[in-house]
Amino acid sequence: MAEEPIVPVYCTGVSAQVQRQRAKALGLGRHENAVRYLGQDYGRLVEECRRSGTLFRDETFPPAPASLGFRELGPSSAKTYGVQWKRPTELCPRPQFIVDGATRTDICQGALGDCWLLAAIASLTLNDTILHRVVPHGQSFQHGYAGIFHFQIWQFGEWLDVVVDDYLPTKDGKLLFVHSAEGTEFWSALLEKAYAKVNGCYEALSGGSTSEGFEDFTGGVTEWYDLRKPPGDLYQIILKALDRGSLLGCSIDITSAFDMEAVTFKKLVKGHAYSVTGAKQINYRGQSLGLIRMRNPWGEVEWTGPWSDNSSEWNAVEPSLRQQLMVKMEDGEFWMSFRDFLREFTRLEICNLTPDALQSRKFRKWNTRLYDGTWRRGSTAGGCRNYPATFWINPQFKIQLEEVDDDRDEDGGREPGCSFLLALMQKHRRRERRYGKDMETIGFAVYEVPPEYVGKSGIHLKRDFFLANASRARSEQFINLREVSTRFRLPPGEYIVVPSTFEPNKEGDFVLRVFSEKKAGTEEMDDKIQATLPDEKVLSESQIDDNFKQLFKQLAGADMEISVTELQTILNRIIGKHKDLRTKGFSTESCRSMVNLMDTATGSWDWWSSTCCGTESATTWPSSASSTWTSLAA
């Protein structure tokens, strides 16, 4: 077949969903039983390399132009001119995977605009337990080296074990993207490569929110704080979050494209993702003062205001504490007062790992449930409440809040309520960028179940209900982030959650996660998916239509193998004969998915003939709706 980048196929049919449910019920996708991404078994591949005496080369994400990108990092772009893929053993005499534990100076940004991801990776180094869930122990360039490494990344409700070779893009003998300050340590560069593989290419990582990286390294859920309207106890929330291993990031919003990466008078970078790496309450001139420690993933350009590396404020601090906290070096890390932090930064992201109720004085674990869903044009893509004629067709999920919180007296005697957090995440959007698709603008609304439907299952509320009833709660805004999450507190009872895109007819897949403090029941308000899967029928070549054989041979040529575009031609010629079918034909992406379902070493007539028995409408990749969020592109 013509060379095409290999991508996983995301099946949404009943058969695929039933099989997936069975596998999940048996524990597949948990961290201890991660899904082998693209079917690659790390242990088996290592043994094969050692047995054959060869170094691993990953053909599913090859050291080739397509792995770099598609537009700015595309095969003929100026930015990729002169790029060479080299193994660390070609870059330095004694490369190391991790030296003396992973540290924040191991992560310095390169030519890729993925500061949001690097801020998340830097935060991983603060917690060895979390770090080594993502970066498994025992990997080395010295002991048993075979040119192969693996990492575990959370994606939409399941953990993936992602294999990569150690070819890294270089220019003029130096790593093009993330690198360590010393230049001899490579775990962060290889982790960035694994993340690029999951998302299709390096360019797909450009621009984003730190919360994406946080969640993909932990499976946690992120809460956002607007620092222009912070809660009164935000500093205590930060201290508690750091103490529990939560990951924290922050940024300064930009007001126009001209602000992107603009450096302020005191050397803070607008539109840039920073990680919060520490906080400390100190005694300063007889008063308690909150300090906060930040890191710029560039590994340089630091705050020069009060409490910066060379500021005079440190002279008034007790010497032993000053020695403990103060580090005078240009490493991108710096301290500032919490008051200055609130004045200079505009957004804080905290990824809760369990998640825990940070506002409570007690340590609590939350109950979690996860549901997969889809928005499809004409059936389940109804848009937001601005579109009353179609809003009701969106997927609906029921939440049953049964037990009230324990901390009523902590909140000044407020009414009994049940705390829960809703998180709506859209799937696979980075991977689809090369096809013109990006984040949709998403949100959700929560309605109280009417009395006549309480206790009933499988009920999908209709248009008249939503016309007559206001929502009890809703996401703070519709926004084109990968995930929208909001914390709520409602009285015990049954509620319907309606996730949607802002505009109707915007297609996509999503995950809805429900985190409840106490026991809560959840249910998708639709028929349960189940199917009896028949045995697959294998056709012999003699049973295949001669006209189809002739068309296949005509397009395939002597090698009897076809590319994605040739497959598209075959299928659309066949479907064009069926005048009773209303369809725009097979899209390029649909055909690419079919090709990738097939073993590339096989050209069987059986597979092609069975494929042509069904039809599929072309997928139109809609452009993203306007949004209030500006991408962190630095």
Side-chain angles (χ1 to χ4, degrees):
M1 291 186 182
E3 184 177 343
E4 288 283 336
I6 296 178
V7 297
V9 179
Y10 306 112
C11 301
T12 56
V14 171
S15 171
Q17 290 189 46
V18 170
Q19 292 174 357
R20 196 170 187 81
Q21 287 171 359
R22 289 174 182 171
K24 280 191 172 183
L26 295 173
L28 184 65
R30 295 176 186 166
H31 191 269
E32 63 276 10
N33 187 19
V35 176
R36 293 167 183 165
Y37 187 62
L38 300 182
Q40 292 176 298
D41 185 331
Y42 171 73
R44 183 177 61 79
L45 291 170
V46 168
E47 286 305 312
E48 287 178 0
C49 290
R50 290 174 181 168
R51 196 163 47 244
S52 64
T54 58
L55 296 181
F56 178 66
R57 179 186 168 100
D58 184 9
E59 296 302 335
T60 69
F61 194 66
S67 297
L68 290 176
F70 48 89
R71 193 174 299 119
E72 291 186 10
L73 293 177
S76 58
S77 68
K79 290 185 178 180
T80 60
Y81 180 77
V83 169
Q84 294 181 305
W85 294 79
K86 293 186 177 182
R87 297 186 189 269
T89 50
E90 300 174 77
L91 297 173
C92 61
R94 289 187 58 80
Q96 301 289 328
F97 187 67
I98 291 181
V99 180
D100 298 328
T103 62
R104 299 179 295 283
T105 57
D106 296 345
I107 305 110
C108 298
Q109 189 174 357
L112 186 62
D114 61 347
C115 63
W116 61 276
L117 174 63
L118 306 190
I121 296 176
S123 295
L124 279 181
T125 65
L126 303 176
N127 188 314
D128 281 344
T129 301
I130 300 172
L131 174 71
H132 290 295
R133 287 178 65 177
V134 177
V135 186
H137 280 291
Q139 304 192 77
S140 167
F141 285 97
Q142 283 73 42
H143 307 292
Y145 169 67
I148 181 172
F149 295 87
H150 71 131
F151 301 88
Q152 297 212 335
I153 297 171
W154 185 91
Q155 288 282 279
F156 316 118
E158 62 185 16
W159 285 91
L160 308 178
D161 191 77
V162 185
V163 169
V164 292
D165 61 32
D166 62 348
Y167 280 106
L168 295 169
T170 69
K171 211 169 189 179
D172 301 323
K174 295 181 180 179
L175 289 180
L176 186 60
F177 302 134
V178 72
H179 55 278
S180 66
E182 298 82 5
T184 58
E185 203 167 349
F186 291 93
W187 72 270
S188 59
L190 291 167
L191 173 55
E192 182 187 45
K193 180 175 184 177
Y195 202 76
K197 177 178 177 176
V198 166
N199 286 282
C201 63
Y202 278 95
E203 187 174 351
L205 307 185
S206 183
S209 165
T210 307
S211 60
E212 272 192 68
F214 284 165
E215 295 184 348
D216 288 349
F217 297 143
T218 65
V221 65
T222 301
E223 294 183 86
W224 296 64
Y225 292 90
D226 183 347
L227 299 182
R228 291 161 296 194
K229 299 178 291 182
D233 60 346
L234 182 60
Y235 191 71
Q236 284 65 42
I237 289 173
I238 291 173
L239 287 171
K240 194 177 292 185
L242 287 166
D243 186 54
R244 294 177 181 175
S246 298
L247 307 184
L248 292 82
C250 59
S251 59
I252 303 171
D253 285 352
I254 64 174
T255 54
S256 72
F258 297 105
D259 274 350
M260 183 57 69
E261 290 192 15
V263 180
T264 68
F265 176 68
K266 293 183 178 177
K267 295 292 183 72
L268 294 177
V269 186
K270 294 184 177 181
H272 186 60
Y274 289 78
S275 37
V276 178
T277 60
K280 184 75 173 179
Q281 198 104 26
I282 67 168
N283 188 288
Y284 178 65
R285 293 178 176 172
Q287 293 187 331
S288 180
L289 177 71
L291 296 180
I292 191 162
R293 189 176 67 200
M294 325 281 297
R295 186 169 191 277
N296 180 345
W298 286 350
E300 56 185 3
V301 186
E302 299 180 7
W303 161 255
T304 58
W307 299 101
S308 58
D309 285 1
N310 298 303
S311 72
S312 60
E313 284 80 10
W314 290 106
N315 297 329
V317 176
E318 194 269 325
S320 62
L321 180 60
R322 180 171 68 240
Q323 185 177 2
Q324 175 190 340
L325 299 180
M326 191 179 175
V327 181
K328 286 190 176 182
M329 59 185 294
E330 182 70 6
D331 59 356
E333 193 163 58
F334 55 87
W335 289 92
M336 66 193 310
S337 72
F338 183 61
R339 183 172 58 246
D340 283 338
F341 169 73
L342 292 178
R343 182 165 55 242
E344 299 289 343
F345 287 85
T346 49
R347 190 187 302 276
L348 173 70
E349 305 163 54
I350 300 180
C351 180
N352 303 307
L353 304 186
T354 34
D356 302 317
L358 292 179
Q359 285 87 347
S360 170
R361 296 176 193 148
K362 292 174 63 180
F363 183 84
R364 294 192 297 250
K365 288 190 175 181
W366 289 41
N367 298 293
T368 63
R369 293 293 296 271
L370 180 147
Y371 286 101
D372 292 294
T374 61
W375 293 299
R376 290 292 176 262
R377 181 189 300 269
S379 60
T380 58
C384 71
R385 294 167 301 152
N386 294 354
Y387 302 90
T390 56
F391 176 68
W392 69 276
I393 71 174
N394 285 300
Q396 298 177 18
F397 302 86
K398 185 172 75 173
I399 302 175
Q400 187 172 354
L401 303 176
E402 302 174 6
E403 300 179 29
V404 299
D405 300 347
D406 294 328
D407 61 348
R408 277 172 285 168
D409 53 346
E410 289 185 15
D411 301 289
R414 65 179 175 179
E415 288 297 313
C418 306
S419 293
F420 65 103
L421 190 149
L422 291 176
L424 173 64
M425 179 184 293
Q426 47 189 325
K427 293 183 177 181
H428 314 305
R429 307 304 286 200
R430 288 189 179 276
R431 175 171 286 281
E432 306 297 350
R433 279 185 176 179
R434 66 166 69 239
Y435 312 118
K437 199 169 186 178
D438 213 329
M439 300 292 181
E440 291 293 353
T441 303
I442 60 171
F444 52 81
V446 182
Y447 293 81
E448 190 167 4
V449 173
E452 62 270 27
Y453 292 135
V454 170
K456 295 183 179 181
S457 61
I459 303 297
H460 192 97
L461 298 176
K462 301 298 189 288
R463 175 184 174 184
D464 289 348
F465 170 82
F466 296 105
L467 290 174
N469 293 275
S471 62
R472 286 296 306 269
R474 60 181 184 272
S475 53
E476 293 179 2
Q477 56 188 329
F478 275 75
I479 196 165
N480 68 333
L481 289 173
R482 185 179 72 161
E483 183 174 65
V484 173
S485 65
T486 307
R487 184 190 294 260
F488 302 105
R489 182 183 173 104
L490 291 174
E494 294 185 3
Y495 299 88
I496 293 289
V497 182
V498 186
S500 72
T501 57
F502 184 77
E503 296 178 343
N505 295 320
K506 299 294 185 181
E507 296 194 325
D509 300 325
F510 65 84
V511 163
L512 179 70
R513 293 188 287 168
V514 183
F515 301 87
S516 57
E517 181 184 312
K518 298 303 247 356
K519 183 180 178 183
T522 54
E523 176 188 352
E524 183 172 3
M525 300 303 284
D526 234 328
D527 295 332
K528 294 192 179 297
I529 297 172
Q530 55 185 354
T532 302
L533 304 179
D535 294 334
E536 196 171 315
K537 294 182 179 179
V538 179
L539 300 178
S540 67
E541 188 171 331
S542 62
Q543 294 176 277
I544 297 170
D545 183 78
D546 288 336
N547 290 331
F548 175 74
K549 284 185 188 180
Q550 191 58 38
L551 175 59
F552 185 94
K553 289 177 181 178
Q554 180 184 338
L555 286 168
D559 61 1
M560 292 300 287
E561 294 180 345
I562 65 171
S563 68
V564 168
T565 53
E566 290 168 339
L567 173 61
Q568 187 178 23
T569 301
I570 290 176
L571 297 181
N572 286 336
R573 280 193 190 178
I574 292 172
I575 204 171
K577 297 177 182 179
H578 294 267
K579 304 302 181 185
D580 55 323
L581 296 176
R582 297 181 61 186
T583 175
K584 296 178 182 178
F586 288 80
S587 69
T588 302
E589 177 57 17
S590 297
C591 295
R592 180 178 283 105
S593 295
M594 292 182 198
V595 169
N596 292 323
L597 277 170
M598 182 182 178
D599 183 343
T600 55
T602 305
S604 111
W605 285 107
D606 306 335
W607 187 86
W608 297 113
S609 60
S610 62
T611 298
C612 294
C613 294
T615 62
E616 181 179 336
S617 297
T619 303
T620 302
W621 305 125
S623 59
S624 294
S626 60
S627 165
T628 59
W629 180 68
T630 302
S631 179
L632 295 174

